Amino acid sequence: MSEFDKRTNIVSEEELLGQKRFAEKAGALLSSRYAEMPKACVVTYGCQQNVADSEKIKGILELIGYSFTDERTEAKLVIFNTCAVREHAEDRVFGNVGALKKYKLANPDVIIAVCGCMVQQKHIAEKFKKSYPFVDLVFGTHTVHRLPTLLYRTLTSKKRVFETPDIDGVIAEGVPVRRDDVSKAWLPIMYGCNNFCTYCIVPYVRGRERSRNEQDIINEFKQLVENGCKEIMLLGQNVNSYGKDLSPKVSFSQLLRDLNAIDGDFRIRFMTSHPKDCTKELIDTVASCEKVARHLHLPFQSGSNRVLKAMNRGYTREQYKELIDYARSVMGDELSVTSDIIVGFPGETYEDFCQTLSLVSEIKATSLFTFIYSPRKGTPAAEMDDPVPEREKSKWFKELTDLQEEISASQMELHKGKTYKCYVYGKGKLADNYVAARNDGDLIIEFEGDESLIGTFQTIKVIQPLTFVMRGELVKEKTV
Ligand code: 5AD
Ligand code: SF4
């Protein structure tokens, strides 16, 4: 047993074997109940971590014997994997789950399940218990690996099953994963978050930071490359803290270097980096690892130091700007920067917001993910005075997106005549004989080319930047 395995949050092999046995039992039960094995539909909301969880859920369901459909009313099992980051996402879930009531009442053998971040909040789990009696199974973010047991219980008992333990979280290795796309993969390297930004619900619903053992990540990564995967996105709420809880410690930069050294032609991406933990060493590592995309998703949330402090972000706009300046000095125009911004944090004034606009102008991001602040029950910000009306916040929001649109367009112009290594991922939209490719910075370049190029890396020269895509031409065919 390694030092690492002594950590108490690792799910034991016995537990995982037990789950496999329950998967077999559930499969046998379903094949005795139905002439043909039933279909499942997994509906996913929210971030890439949720997408990765849904791939585990589908892996488990496939092991049980389910096939899959996108049509909810064709499925005997519908699972909603939910997001709690903003109220809007929660409202959509309530609406979509509610819409299945009729289907469930007409087909009592159908199982409706809700899982993920939303139901990790006590008041939401209660709401499903009381007001959604046709929901059979509710399970939280820490019990995905226990789905075989939970499903078997739901199939065999008349009682509804709720399992949303309020714990710091676990690491379960060896859970099967069913990936929808062989060429592109999400690879979680750590779970949870310790940062407690005052607006954010994530640390409450995803538990404390915990890193996967480096060797487990390397093994999964190698397997993906062997299976033909070309783009691998390393996932974590704050990848810069990867490995701090391991013994011996491993830094995220070290992990990147070790993955970069693996044989094969592939591209490594990662998200999300937290500016307070993003080091010059990491930027140097990105610059020196040829397989790591020159892309930093580095959310700054606000350009006002006062607001950043109230958000508990742990950095100033000057420190943020310094990081970006350093990254640009090392990687030049090749570097693509993207960021998240919240508009209308409680107590934010128009002057604060103008600071955000000025930072946006300075940073010149490729694109931004912008959000209007949404109060989350149980977070400190939800208790703060929030005098600015929604209407006003919407105006600010529009001002921000208009500014970024201009910046994105002028940034696109900079790419004219430049040559990039791109991964050709599918058919193009500009014309029938076009295929579409992505460069390091996630920019889409379409060019005239044969469909046989799909699934390969090619060198493409940008001819004409358009609004959302660029027209390019193949420089020299290189089949990988
Ligand atoms: N309201 C609005 N946006 C939020 N985010 C996180 N919490 C909230 C909230 N309560 C945004 C942040 C984060 C992104 C994933 O979602 O910008 O980086
Ligand atoms: Fe939320 Fe902040 Fe953690 Fe990101 S770093 S998940 S915004 S608490």
Side-chain angles (χ1 to χ4, degrees):
M1 184 185 265
S2 74
E3 225 3 73
F4 173 82
D5 295 331
K6 286 186 197 145
R7 293 196 299 166
T8 51
N9 56 7
I10 309 295
V11 176
S12 70
E13 275 178 29
E14 290 79 5
E15 162 76 22
L16 290 167
L17 262 178
Q19 293 305 324
K20 272 203 182 123
R21 268 184 237 115
F22 269 105
E24 280 162 21
K25 281 169 75 172
L29 189 70
L30 289 171
S31 65
S32 71
R33 271 189 200 172
Y34 296 100
E36 204 178 293
M37 279 304 263
K39 289 181 180 162
C41 173
V42 181
V43 186
T44 309
Y45 302 84
C47 67
Q48 281 83 3
Q49 187 61 56
N50 256 20
V51 175
D53 280 351
S54 284
E55 290 182 339
K56 281 187 188 153
I57 289 169
K58 287 188 210 164
I60 294 171
L61 296 180
E62 190 169 47
L63 187 70
I64 291 174
Y66 282 98
S67 56
F68 297 92
T69 174
D70 290 332
E71 283 302 321
R72 292 165 206 189
T73 51
E74 253 181 26
K76 290 289 178 198
L77 168 65
V78 184
I79 301 186
F80 291 91
N81 188 8
T82 64
C83 168
V85 167
R86 280 170 294 275
E87 194 178 357
H88 177 66
E90 294 193 337
D91 290 344
R92 271 175 64 210
V93 169
F94 283 126
N96 287 331
V97 174
L100 279 191
K101 183 175 176 181
K102 249 195 186 160
Y103 174 56
K104 164 75 187 186
L105 293 181
N107 302 274
D109 63 324
V110 166
I111 294 176
I112 311 280
V114 185
C115 69
C117 293
M118 236 174 117
V119 297
Q120 262 319 122
Q121 302 167 94
K122 277 203 183 76
H123 68 284
I124 301 275
E126 273 308 306
K127 183 163 171 178
F128 277 112
K129 204 174 256 175
K130 284 210 184 99
S131 312
Y132 292 76
F134 57 94
V135 170
D136 308 281
L137 167 63
V138 167
F139 60 102
T141 52
H142 304 308
T143 44
V144 169
H145 64 284
R146 285 179 42 76
L147 182 56
T149 305
L150 300 175
L151 201 54
Y152 185 76
R153 244 197 261 154
T154 312
L155 285 164
T156 52
S157 133
K158 296 233 172 330
K159 283 199 189 134
R160 304 162 74 202
V161 175
F162 280 71
E163 192 169 282
T164 55
D166 182 15
I167 54 175
D168 283 349
V170 296
I171 294 181
E173 292 296 346
V175 174
V177 179
R178 184 182 193 271
R179 291 188 161 93
D180 292 331
D181 185 347
V182 282
S183 66
K184 194 174 175 192
W186 313 111
L187 180 55
I189 60 166
M190 61 188 300
Y191 309 98
C193 181
N194 287 355
N195 293 307
F196 290 94
C197 301
T198 52
Y199 52 80
C200 187
I201 195 70
V202 169
Y204 303 89
V205 294
R206 288 217 167 251
R208 297 291 63 74
E209 265 170 21
R210 49 211 188 273
S211 305
R212 291 179 68 192
N213 187 356
E214 191 190 19
Q215 198 53 52
D216 288 326
I217 298 170
I218 291 177
N219 293 346
E220 190 173 344
F221 194 101
K222 281 186 176 162
Q223 193 60 56
L224 285 167
V225 173
E226 265 170 39
N227 294 347
C229 193
K230 299 291 183 193
E231 291 203 294
I232 302 174
M233 170 75 87
L234 310 178
L235 289 181
Q237 303 298 343
N238 175 9
V239 290
N240 309 104
S241 345
Y242 172 78
K244 288 184 181 164
D245 55 333
L246 294 178
S247 148
K249 287 188 174 41
V250 183
S251 72
F252 181 56
S253 298
Q254 186 59 48
L255 175 68
L256 278 182
R257 286 192 288 269
D258 292 344
L259 296 175
N260 187 67
I262 291 172
D263 276 344
D265 202 3
F266 53 81
R267 182 148 60 191
I268 305 170
R269 297 182 183 278
F270 60 87
M271 70 187 305
T272 294
S273 290
H274 194 307
K276 90 176 156 55
D277 300 313
C278 180
T279 57
K280 290 190 173 166
E281 186 205 358
L282 175 66
I283 292 170
D284 291 340
T285 305
V286 173
S288 66
C289 290
E290 74 286 0
K291 294 174 189 167
V292 175
R294 277 138 181 69
H295 174 203
L296 283 180
H297 180 62
L298 202 59
F300 63 82
Q301 313 295 359
S302 168
S304 152
N305 284 337
R306 202 183 64 80
V307 174
L308 285 172
K309 194 149 189 260
M311 287 177 162
N312 189 31
R313 290 290 291 177
Y315 56 86
T316 60
R317 70 176 275 147
E318 291 75 20
Q319 285 163 332
Y320 183 86
K321 180 72 179 18
E322 197 191 322
L323 272 178
I324 299 294
D325 287 347
Y326 180 73
R328 288 242 158 87
S329 75
V330 177
M331 288 180 264
D333 284 346
E334 265 188 71
L335 174 72
S336 164
V337 175
T338 54
S339 193
D340 296 347
I341 293 176
I342 296 178
V343 174
F345 183 80
E348 179 174 335
T349 61
Y350 187 68
E351 286 66 41
D352 290 317
F353 172 68
C354 287
Q355 296 278 305
T356 296
L357 290 180
S358 78
L359 190 54
V360 165
S361 301
E362 287 173 31
I363 295 306
K364 293 195 173 45
T366 309
S367 59
L368 291 178
F369 300 88
T370 46
F371 311 99
I372 292 188
Y373 169 73
S374 169
R376 306 284 64 214
K377 195 177 162 141
T379 61
E383 305 299 317
M384 296 176 189
D385 273 350
D386 191 4
V388 177
E390 273 313 287
R391 230 177 332 104
E392 186 67 13
K393 292 184 182 182
S394 297
K395 270 199 229 153
W396 299 359
F397 185 81
K398 171 91 173 46
E399 212 176 318
L400 171 63
T401 49
D402 284 351
L403 171 64
Q404 181 58 34
E405 228 169 79
E406 267 173 40
I407 294 171
S408 294
S410 63
Q411 290 296 99
M412 290 284 256
E413 279 302 318
L414 296 180
H415 298 287
K416 199 169 175 175
K418 295 239 165 75
T419 299
Y420 296 106
K421 179 183 170 184
C422 297
Y423 178 68
V424 188
Y425 67 88
K427 276 181 66 75
K429 293 192 180 119
L430 294 178
D432 273 354
N433 56 345
Y434 272 52
V435 286
R438 255 190 316 261
N439 80 349
D440 259 17
D442 237 2
L443 288 172
I444 296 172
I445 308 176
E446 291 199 9
F447 63 99
E448 197 179 322
D450 195 83
E451 277 182 43
S452 63
L453 297 178
I454 295 172
T456 65
F457 283 102
Q458 301 296 338
T459 305
I460 318 286
K461 183 174 177 188
V462 176
I463 303 297
Q464 181 191 20
L466 303 166
T467 318
F468 295 110
V469 298
M470 299 190 273
R471 193 190 298 274
E473 69 181 17
L474 189 60
V475 171
K476 189 175 95 209
E477 193 166 324
K478 171 180 169 255
T479 309
V480 182

